[in-house]
Amino acid sequence: MTSPVLRVSGLTKVFGAREREALRLAAEGLGRDEVYRRTQSTLAVHDVSFEVARGELFVVMGLSGSGKSTLVRLLNRLIEPSAGTVEVDGRDLRALDDAELRRVRNQKISMVFQHFALLPHRTVRENAGYALKVRGARVTEQRERADWALETVGLLDRADARPDELSGGMRQRVGLARALAADSEVLLMDEPFSALDPLIRRDMQDLLERLQSELSKTIVFITHDLNEAMRLGDRILMLKDGRTVQLGTGPEIIAAPADAYVADFTSDVDRTRVLTAGDLLREPRLTARLGDAPGDVLRALGAVEANGVYVLDDGRRIAGVARDHLLARAVQEGRAALGPQELVTDFATIAADRPVVEFVHLLGRHPVPLGVVDDDGRLLGVVPRAAVLDALSAVPVTGRRS
Amino acid sequence: MIPHVPLGQWVSDLIDWLLATVPWLFDGISSVMQVLVDGLTDALVSPPPVVWIVVATVLALLLRGPWLALYTLLAFLLVVSLELWVETMQTLALVLVAAVIAAAIGVPLGILAARHRAVSVAVRPVLDFMQTTPVFVYLAPAVFFFGVGVVPGVVATILFAIPPGVRLTELGIRQVDREVVEAAQAFGARPGQVLREVQLPLALPSIMAGVNQVIMLALSMVVTAGLLGAAGLGAVVVRAVTQLDVASGVEGGLAVVLLAIFLDRLTASFGHPTAVSRLLRARTRRAAAGAAGPVVPAPRSEAAAPAEAPASR
Ligand SMILES: Nc1ncnc2c1ncn2[C@@H]1O[C@H](COP(=O)(O)OP(=O)(O)OP(=O)(O)O)[C@@H](O)[C@H]1O
Ligand SMILES: [Mg+2]
């Protein structure tokens, strides 16, 4: 694996005059409220560490006030950290002087804002080309890059309009174009779609997914909407009162929320669309092979109290299912090895990346659990109905939001 | 008994000391102001009134539109018929010089105050002091430093008119959307670039409201300046009061009001789209729409769909 583009360790921010004292109390493990009560300083972010790989879309999630905006602004030093380091491509941002920092901001890290933050007195094109203007690029180059970026987000025909003539979705496209035109590797996005209505938000998510597949930027994406996080994110960091509570892929978080706070978020998610067959995969308790002795297989079935078993060929592909009564007849008739006449096709399979919603109707209808297979038909594992029901019904024990 | 603190004596001593130590400073300021006011007054009164009346009317038409133009024409004709044209122009010259200098001091100070907390904290009590001190208190030192005539009037006027310039500039810059400033910084803009390209343009309406206030306050000082011997409408009013001449007092006062309304309406348009720029905008938009073909929707109606207004977080 290549080295991470962004490496954050021990990142901490205290707002307020008594920073040292607040840091000490925080290090002792006191929570934000307690730190504030004792020092009148806000522990906005505390001891957050993570790495983001090239081309990864990394999501930071949390409730309002959990420190998301502060965290993302620490990443380009719009807010000065109280402690900890941020490395971009192996360079420590805190070691840079002002001019170097400005160059990094101009060429390596771009930002997209929740309320778009466009210059109202400039045209859409001038806004899109802003990074190049700051860079001192020639006017023709500014224009070229801006037009390319506007075309990429589908807004070239409005290049001469002013931001206030555009709808919210269009304005955020300009915000995105401004970041793309800078041609930086890292994109910081602070709740970029939160101010948009749901339909437009979906459009913008589609656009971002498309851009990501074409341009593969390294993105840190802030949101408070877990569905959005699940949809876009490779990995998700859950933030609570400035601290990390969980870091993992979407399905990991849904399948095993670290605490009630996280579970509270996950309860809002439509798990049947998020969880895939691969997430619920189990090792089958029993499989048989072509050529096994029917008597042995029957005995093993009895031991696990089942009445059917997947029979695999030499390549682990599914040859069929052996039922108990057919096995019993084979034993009576004295056949020594499992062959095609003992097998039935009474089973169903699904690919590992399919969500629950697509296979829930197949569950429990066969003597064997649903089989999960790869592209070549090899059995990867099974999804028992109970496992699906268990995952779907996992509700937080405490702390439900009303 | 609490002993008497000789505060007034201290200030008086300070003035004496300043006059003894840096007399050239006050002489210099004095002659520069005198030259500025005299020069502007000459320019305003030497051509026949009709020249400036036409200029003012056209200016009003371009910046605000036909109604202010009509007002301007009638108001200035009335001033001429009252035989107060020269005095009005003398007052206008004094107001303009004072306002330009006050704005030239106040706006940069406001910018500094907006950018540096310390400046803001230091300047605020001084502004409070300047704004609440009764005008007449300025007059005695002004006369000491600059003698009688138009200069002490201008100086007192400047001191009086600076605070709103500072305040509204600082406020305007502080009110600029933080995210937009952050955006400029996030793309690597230098502090000077942020100021020039983001903060000042976005604070312009507020700064211009400050300039408007500066001008209005300067105008309100002209009668006071008349007390110090500055020629103009102030002198007319002062003379009327001392001679109990109600008729010329009313006429002088009316001329001040007419001038005030003209200046206020004219400068209130600063920082907002003027009649001309509105016209130009509409035309370029139509041209752009025409070039893009007939499918382009009507410009205003589809602006900023309300459904996408920022949702509360
Ligand atoms: N400049 C500041 N000075 C003092 N406190 C601040 C400052 N900025 C943020 N905070 C505090 O830090 C905490 C985290 O704020 P932050 O804006 O990062 O949260 P957030 O997760 O982005 O919330 P939201 O979803 O509302 O945007 C909050 O308690 C906030 O009050
Ligand atoms: Mg935020």
Side-chain angles (χ1 to χ4, degrees):
Chain A
M1 225 194 92
T2 54
S3 62
V5 175
L6 203 62
R7 175 182 287 152
V8 172
S9 68
L11 204 54
T12 299
K13 178 64 191 181
V14 173
F15 288 110
R18 292 158 70 185
E19 185 176 317
R20 300 267 302 269
E21 207 179 327
L23 285 176
R24 193 174 53 73
L25 293 175
E28 285 171 13
L30 293 191
R32 179 191 280 175
D33 293 344
E34 189 61 23
V35 170
Y36 186 82
R37 208 177 55 74
R38 298 209 197 165
T39 65
Q40 274 72 56
S41 299
T42 306
L43 185 62
V45 171
H46 183 236
D47 197 19
V48 170
S49 305
F50 59 87
E51 292 180 355
V52 186
R54 201 171 302 277
E56 181 177 5
L57 199 156
F58 186 84
V59 175
V60 178
M61 272 206 65
L63 291 180
S64 181
S66 56
K68 306 181 296 292
S69 295
T70 306
L71 178 60
V72 79
R73 282 163 176 74
L74 289 168
L75 299 183
N76 61 358
R77 248 178 81 184
L78 276 182
I79 294 177
E80 204 62 46
S82 303
T85 57
V86 177
E87 280 174 35
V88 179
D89 267 343
R91 291 179 77 193
D92 183 1
L93 276 198
R94 293 185 77 183
L96 304 181
D97 66 25
D98 286 355
E100 288 169 328
L101 177 63
R102 283 197 294 270
R103 237 203 8 261
V104 168
R105 285 178 182 168
N106 186 260
Q107 303 184 353
K108 287 231 171 250
I109 309 179
S110 296
M111 191 157 172
V112 179
F113 292 83
Q114 179 170 8
H115 301 291
F116 327 130
L118 303 174
L119 299 178
H121 55 297
R122 299 277 176 82
T123 64
V124 163
R125 177 181 286 119
E126 286 166 337
N127 269 288
Y130 188 69
L132 288 110
K133 181 182 160 65
V134 169
R135 206 175 285 178
R138 277 175 299 109
V139 178
T140 50
E141 192 188 340
Q142 287 179 30
R143 213 188 138 98
E144 263 167 36
R145 288 295 302 174
D147 284 1
W148 168 83
L150 286 172
E151 185 161 20
T152 309
V153 301
L155 214 59
L156 188 53
D157 56 331
R158 304 306 304 271
D160 294 309
R162 306 235 165 205
D164 66 354
E165 295 166 22
L166 303 181
S167 68
M170 289 171 159
R171 283 187 224 183
Q172 194 57 300
R173 281 168 196 260
V174 181
L176 207 50
R178 177 170 63 180
L180 294 179
D183 199 25
S184 39
E185 248 176 84
V186 181
L187 236 57
L188 306 177
M189 309 182 85
D190 186 8
E191 301 203 32
F193 308 146
S194 297
L196 306 176
D197 76 45
L199 284 177
I200 308 282
R201 193 181 311 166
R202 182 137 286 231
D203 280 352
M204 295 298 287
Q205 290 166 355
D206 290 342
L207 174 67
L208 185 66
E209 281 193 314
R210 208 195 76 218
L211 291 179
Q212 183 60 357
S213 68
E214 286 169 14
L215 305 171
S216 60
K217 301 272 182 193
T218 305
I219 302 178
V220 177
F221 189 100
I222 311 289
T223 180
H224 59 243
D225 173 0
L226 190 60
N227 283 306
E228 185 170 71
M230 292 289 164
R231 177 141 187 239
L232 298 173
D234 297 319
R235 285 186 304 149
I236 301 172
L237 183 147
M238 303 287 303
L239 208 58
K240 177 195 182 188
D241 288 347
R243 289 180 160 104
T244 305
V245 284
Q246 192 166 7
L247 173 57
T249 65
E252 277 169 20
I253 287 176
I254 296 228
D259 66 1
Y261 176 82
V262 180
D264 221 8
F265 269 104
T266 58
S267 65
D268 288 348
V269 165
D270 182 356
R271 294 152 197 246
T272 62
R273 288 176 198 286
V274 175
L275 291 176
T276 61
D279 298 324
L280 301 169
L281 195 68
R282 305 283 160 88
E283 191 68 31
R285 295 180 65 183
L286 181 66
T287 54
R289 292 182 152 266
L290 283 175
D292 283 354
D296 294 345
V297 177
L298 190 56
R299 219 164 300 120
L301 266 185
V304 300
E305 297 170 19
N307 51 19
V309 60
Y310 280 110
V311 179
L312 309 178
D313 66 13
D314 291 341
R316 271 193 77 79
R317 278 186 298 272
I318 299 176
V321 165
R323 298 289 315 265
D324 45 5
H325 60 275
L326 293 177
L327 287 169
R329 195 187 315 151
V331 173
Q332 279 166 10
E333 294 174 4
R335 280 196 289 275
L338 274 179
Q341 63 271 47
E342 281 83 28
L343 302 184
V344 294
T345 55
D346 196 6
F347 65 95
T349 61
I350 190 87
D353 62 348
R354 306 321 302 160
V356 170
V357 65
E358 289 184 17
F359 62 77
V360 66
H361 62 284
L362 299 173
L363 294 167
R365 304 214 345 221
H366 305 285
V368 286
L370 183 68
V372 181
V373 293
D374 67 10
D375 292 345
D376 298 325
R378 277 191 289 266
L379 184 70
L380 301 171
V382 296
V383 178
R385 181 163 69 166
V388 176
L389 295 178
D390 177 42
L392 293 184
S393 63
V395 285
V397 190
T398 54
R400 280 201 58 95
R401 266 173 297 165
S402 51
Chain B
M1 275 293 285
I2 300 171
H4 175 72
V5 181
L7 205 63
Q9 189 59 45
W10 292 342
V11 175
S12 162
D13 288 348
L14 178 70
I15 291 172
D16 286 342
W17 179 80
L18 281 174
L19 278 175
T21 339
V22 283
W24 46 267
L25 179 64
F26 302 105
D27 289 348
I29 293 176
S30 191
S31 35
V32 168
M33 301 254 174
Q34 192 74 51
V35 168
L36 286 176
V37 175
D38 287 351
L40 192 54
T41 309
D42 276 353
L44 288 172
V45 298
S46 39
V50 62
V51 173
W52 287 114
I53 292 178
V54 168
V55 169
T57 306
V58 171
L59 210 59
L61 182 67
L62 291 182
L63 292 179
R64 285 311 292 270
W67 287 112
L68 187 64
L70 184 65
Y71 166 84
T72 307
L73 185 66
L74 294 180
F76 281 144
L77 286 178
L78 182 56
V79 166
V80 172
S81 88
L82 293 175
E83 294 177 355
L84 288 173
W85 176 256
V86 173
E87 288 81 354
T88 303
M89 289 303 109
Q90 285 168 333
T91 293
L92 183 60
L94 188 153
V95 168
L96 288 182
V97 169
V100 166
I101 295 177
I105 296 172
V107 170
L109 206 57
I111 293 174
L112 274 181
R115 310 195 67 189
H116 304 286
R117 204 98 243 117
V119 176
S120 172
V121 170
V123 151
R124 192 163 307 147
V126 178
L127 294 183
D128 289 339
F129 180 81
M130 283 165 73
Q131 254 181 329
T132 50
T133 308
V135 184
F136 287 91
V137 176
Y138 289 138
L139 298 185
V143 171
F144 273 121
F145 286 126
F146 304 104
V148 291
V150 74
V151 175
V154 174
V155 172
T157 305
I158 289 172
L159 288 180
F160 193 60
I162 282 177
V166 180
R167 287 231 159 89
L168 284 164
T169 301
E170 179 180 353
L171 184 74
I173 290 180
R174 284 194 190 284
Q175 275 177 345
V176 171
D177 184 355
R178 225 191 79 192
E179 243 191 29
V180 179
V181 174
E182 276 185 332
Q185 291 167 340
F187 282 95
R190 277 175 280 110
Q193 277 177 312
V194 177
L195 182 68
R196 261 180 293 116
E197 292 170 0
V198 180
Q199 288 171 309
L200 285 183
L202 296 194
L204 199 63
S206 177
I207 295 175
M208 285 306 165
V211 170
N212 170 267
Q213 287 293 300
V214 166
I215 293 176
M216 297 319 286
L217 281 179
L219 194 63
S220 75
M221 281 288 290
V222 296
V223 175
T224 317
L227 279 178
L228 300 181
L233 294 173
V236 172
V237 173
V238 170
R239 196 177 326 116
V241 170
T242 51
Q243 297 174 356
L244 300 179
D245 179 352
V246 177
S248 61
V250 168
E251 288 176 1
L254 180 64
V256 173
V257 171
L258 291 175
L259 185 61
I261 292 177
F262 167 71
L263 287 176
D264 179 53
R265 295 299 127 81
L266 197 66
T267 56
S269 66
F270 290 173
H272 295 285
T274 63
V276 180
S277 68
R278 275 196 301 268
L279 210 70
L280 285 177
R281 270 307 284 290
R283 184 163 306 168
T284 49
R285 204 195 310 250
R286 231 176 298 126
V295 287
V296 171
R300 271 258 84 88
S301 57
E302 41 81 70
E308 292 179 31
S312 61
R313 284 182 275 179

